[in-house]
Amino acid sequence: MAKNSKTIISGPEAVRVRFAPSPTGYLHIGSARTAFFNWLFAKKTKGKFILRIEDTDMSRHMEEPIDLIMDSLKWLGINWDEGPDTGGNFGPYRQSQRKDIYSSYAGKMIADGNAYYCFCSQEKLAEKRQSFIEGRGSDYYEYDRECYYLAKDKIEQNLKEGIPYTVRLLVPDDYDIAFTDTVYGPISVNSGTQEDFIIIRSNGLPTYNFSAAVDDILMEITHVIRGEDHLSNTPKQILIYKALDEELPVFTHLPMIHGADGQKLSKRHGSISIEAYRDEGFLPEALRNYLALLGWAFDEKTTVFSSNDLINKFSLKDINKKPAKFDYEKLLWLNGYYIRQMPEKELEKLLAKRVTSADISIKGKNITDKNIAAVLPAIKKIIPLIKERVKTLKEARDITVKFFEDINYENDFIEYIKSNKERALGITEDALSLLKNIDDFSHQGIEAALRSISEKRNIGFRKVAEIIRAAIWGARVSPPMFGTMEILGKDTCIARLDSFMDMLS
RNA sequence: GGCCCGUUCGUCUAGGGGUUAGGACAGCAGAUUUUCAAUCUGCCAGCAGGAGUUCGAUUCUCCUACGGGCUACCA
């Protein structure tokens, strides 16, 4: 009999949780949330967070994704106490390296009569399924236990002859598999709904439900926190615990994250890898905050949580059941919020890093880590101008780059300006002669000079600014114009006004 | 098909037998303004449907509908 679930944690130190991705690609946004919730819970309880790689499917797993996943976790600020790279007392932390462990446990289960050898080939199984389905007219099929009834000497003989075999769990009849999920409450399933599923494949490697359960036992995992898609797998794993006579961990299943259409979040919904969000210029702290809000809430009003807030306030009890739709707009808003709150020094570092990798040049020279010093003063001045109007670092980079690149006058806005060429020319000329003669090329000086144009011509400054902006920025929208011009500097502004005039006439 | 799970504004959610059902994002309107943002103010908008329990259900129970998951020698 399986022992009762651990409903009381014996002490905060005792908590051990794990994130167990299979390395099939990148770190998915949903997996990231699972990892994060595990991590939060570990931090909150001062427990241990373990990273375990579930790479038992030889046909699917690759080496690169393991590094990719670890990099993404680190970028998000999720560190682990034990894992494939850091080691620990419960290793190895890659399932592909634990084959012997699973075999010995399977062997023990066979010896105890809780599991049995199955010599049915995949072809034979397919036939069984086929004929069964045809006979019943339904697509429901479960293994008929043919090999369970094999005589002892026949089994010995098959083994001796080297006939490939799998190991199946002997599922007890009419047993009530019950557990209490932290989120979903009491759940019970009759064992009659479970077939004698395979725990060891013919290649000797374990299947997911077996390796996960065995490792959770051996790694002394106290709380299993994972996606709701595993809720239906839990009874199978409980059966393993029962066969091994082990105490159950606390199970906590997290609601799924869906796309806007309610389907499982996938590529067609946009970016789903953490790397993509990093590249698009999202801040890890914003992403963490948003992820936390997907399926968890602290109270009726708080939306923004610092990382410490999150650790202090997080509780498994506050996780809700309803699947959440991923709302990119809200993430964007949150990211913008974090950018606005960020100290300028920090933003400066992040932006400088992006600018050096942006492949732009000043005076024919690419900006690299080496000569970044040349543009750093400008970046320092650009930041206050843009930090309130960008939502991602990528946007910030794009605007910054425009300060250094050659201007381009080919777009609809410029066409529109051309529709009143006379006035545009006149205003540009005015600006040019005024600006050439001011000594104080600060935004105050520039403003005073340019505003005089609207007085002289008796038109709204709005109209004047439109033209100047077109000339110095080439677009309808720019960062605050006077500040922008100050950063651009007198020479550049005059050069741009000149070429704007040339372009017009 | 079988089993499991879910359903509060468009979205994320709070709430809970009697509430003007609260907040945030988005949207709309206004203020501000050299553009765009940011900021501030206001507005719009929700308990899937049907029975039952009850003096009273959005809240509790059941059913239906819809959605999701599992049902592999995937994880």
Side-chain angles (χ1 to χ4, degrees):
Chain A
M1 283 287 277
K3 293 169 189 164
N4 284 334
S5 187
K6 291 171 188 165
T7 46
I8 297 163
I9 306 159
S10 48
E13 301 78 19
V15 166
R16 290 176 59 82
V17 293
R18 86 300 196 276
F19 173 56
S22 66
T24 51
Y26 39 78
L27 182 61
H28 183 101
I29 202 102
S31 307
R33 188 203 46 177
T34 300
F36 188 45
F37 278 29
N38 271 284
W39 182 87
L40 277 175
F41 184 64
K43 291 294 157 199
K44 167 104 185 180
T45 57
K46 300 197 164 46
K48 295 274 187 262
F49 175 65
I50 292 127
L51 176 65
R52 181 174 77 217
I53 304 295
E54 309 222 326
D55 53 351
T56 57
D57 184 356
M58 299 307 278
S59 65
R60 291 214 303 178
H61 95 264
M62 299 166 281
E63 282 309 301
E64 311 84 70
I66 297 178
D67 288 336
L68 204 56
I69 288 169
M70 296 202 294
D71 285 348
S72 291
L73 286 172
K74 283 179 198 158
W75 177 78
L76 265 177
I78 299 174
N79 53 320
W80 47 95
D81 300 294
E82 298 168 28
D85 54 343
T86 49
N89 296 329
F90 299 82
Y93 293 90
R94 287 184 55 171
Q95 293 189 328
S96 57
Q97 293 164 3
R98 298 170 63 82
K99 189 176 167 183
D100 294 345
I101 296 171
Y102 308 121
S103 310
S104 82
Y105 273 80
K108 179 181 185 301
M109 285 165 67
I110 292 170
D112 292 347
N114 290 318
Y116 59 92
Y117 293 104
C118 176
F119 299 94
C120 296
S121 67
Q122 293 190 57
E123 294 72 34
K124 184 173 175 181
L125 254 17
E127 277 167 35
K128 275 179 189 280
R129 175 172 287 113
Q130 189 62 27
S131 61
F132 191 91
I133 289 169
E134 277 165 17
R136 288 291 178 90
S138 95
D139 60 358
Y140 162 74
Y141 167 80
E142 71 176 26
Y143 183 61
D144 60 7
R145 282 190 175 165
E146 177 180 331
C147 292
Y148 173 64
Y149 300 109
L150 242 35
K152 264 218 169 70
D153 51 343
K154 179 66 179 165
I155 295 172
E156 293 300 324
Q157 190 192 335
N158 283 350
L159 254 21
K160 209 170 287 174
E161 284 174 19
I163 296 175
Y165 64 86
T166 61
V167 177
R168 284 182 186 271
L169 181 79
L170 179 65
V171 174
D173 292 329
D174 198 27
Y175 167 72
D176 190 40
I177 310 166
F179 65 103
T180 299
D181 186 274
T182 315
V183 173
Y184 292 93
I187 289 171
S188 86
V189 178
N190 191 277
S191 62
T193 62
Q194 309 288 326
E195 73 166 341
D196 289 350
F197 58 92
I198 290 171
I199 58 174
I200 300 285
R201 306 163 159 105
S202 51
N203 66 4
L205 287 168
T207 55
Y208 164 73
N209 284 118
F210 187 58
S211 57
V214 168
D215 286 348
D216 286 342
I217 290 167
L218 293 178
M219 294 180 181
E220 297 179 8
I221 301 303
T222 57
H223 295 70
V224 171
I225 304 168
R226 72 225 313 185
E228 191 265 353
D229 47 342
H230 290 295
L231 195 58
S232 302
N233 285 322
T234 306
K236 291 189 179 65
Q237 292 167 20
I238 289 177
L239 252 16
I240 308 282
Y241 275 83
K242 175 176 149 65
L244 260 15
D245 193 26
E246 293 287 344
E247 195 176 354
L248 294 180
V250 174
F251 289 103
T252 303
H253 288 89
L254 273 21
M256 301 269 83
I257 297 174
H258 289 160
D261 55 359
Q263 301 295 115
K264 203 169 174 178
L265 198 62
S266 73
K267 282 191 186 114
R268 65 202 165 75
H269 295 110
S271 305
I272 48 170
S273 71
I274 294 301
E275 302 89 87
Y277 285 93
R278 183 193 57 201
D279 295 347
E280 284 170 36
F282 286 89
L283 304 172
E285 45 275 54
L287 206 47
R288 266 183 276 160
N289 193 152
Y290 181 70
L291 252 21
L293 260 21
L294 252 26
W296 174 84
F298 175 66
D299 59 15
E300 68 272 21
K301 34 188 65 163
T302 321
T303 307
V304 178
F305 296 90
S306 73
S307 293
N308 277 338
D309 273 349
L310 246 23
I311 292 170
N312 291 332
K313 292 175 175 166
F314 183 77
S315 162
L316 296 179
K317 286 189 181 62
D318 294 324
I319 296 169
N320 65 285
K321 306 172 180 20
K322 190 188 159 193
K325 287 177 186 145
F326 189 82
D327 185 358
Y328 186 79
E329 291 298 323
K330 190 156 184 173
L331 206 212
L332 260 188
W333 170 80
L334 206 48
N335 203 58
Y337 180 87
Y338 273 87
I339 287 177
R340 269 172 262 138
Q341 300 299 314
M342 181 173 263
E344 297 190 359
K345 271 253 176 296
E346 236 171 282
L347 234 190
E348 188 185 312
K349 260 192 264 171
L350 292 172
L351 191 52
K353 207 187 262 175
R354 286 201 173 235
V355 167
T356 56
S357 57
D359 194 31
I360 60 163
S361 54
I362 33 168
K363 296 181 181 125
K365 276 190 173 171
N366 257 31
I367 298 174
T368 63
D369 294 335
K370 292 231 161 58
N371 61 11
I372 183 71
V375 291
L376 223 45
I379 289 179
K380 261 193 229 275
K381 293 178 78 175
I382 291 169
I383 284 173
L385 257 40
I386 64 171
K387 75 180 286 194
E388 284 185 352
R389 55 202 88 222
V390 297
K391 292 197 159 57
T392 65
L393 257 21
K394 194 176 185 177
E395 269 182 67
R397 186 219 66 149
D398 289 346
I399 295 173
T400 303
V401 160
K402 285 200 71 174
F403 278 88
F404 305 110
E405 280 180 339
D406 289 339
I407 195 158
N408 174 6
Y409 292 122
E410 284 158 28
N411 60 55
D412 291 351
F413 176 58
I414 299 298
E415 290 308 310
Y416 155 77
I417 293 294
K418 280 183 184 166
S419 67
N420 195 342
K421 206 180 272 187
E422 300 292 286
R423 187 167 74 180
L425 237 24
I427 289 172
T428 312
E429 235 169 295
D430 287 354
L432 222 28
S433 59
L434 283 163
L435 292 175
K436 273 180 185 162
N437 292 319
I438 59 172
D439 301 321
D440 174 26
F441 206 79
S442 67
H443 73 271
Q444 294 93 335
I446 296 163
E447 175 164 10
L450 296 181
R451 282 200 189 272
S452 73
I453 297 175
S454 85
E455 280 163 39
K456 174 190 155 195
R457 294 182 166 258
N458 198 26
I459 51 173
F461 184 67
R462 206 172 272 267
K463 292 288 173 193
V464 175
E466 191 176 58
I467 304 300
I468 312 290
R469 181 172 294 111
I472 61 132
W473 200 253
R476 186 187 296 274
V477 173
S478 77
M481 202 171 69
F482 313 125
T484 299
M485 292 175 77
E486 179 186 319
I487 295 166
L488 248 19
K490 192 168 181 174
D491 293 349
T492 306
C493 285
I494 286 170
R496 288 189 179 185
L497 285 161
D498 272 334
S499 59
F500 185 67
M501 285 238 308
D502 291 347
M503 190 270 307
L504 283 178
S505 46

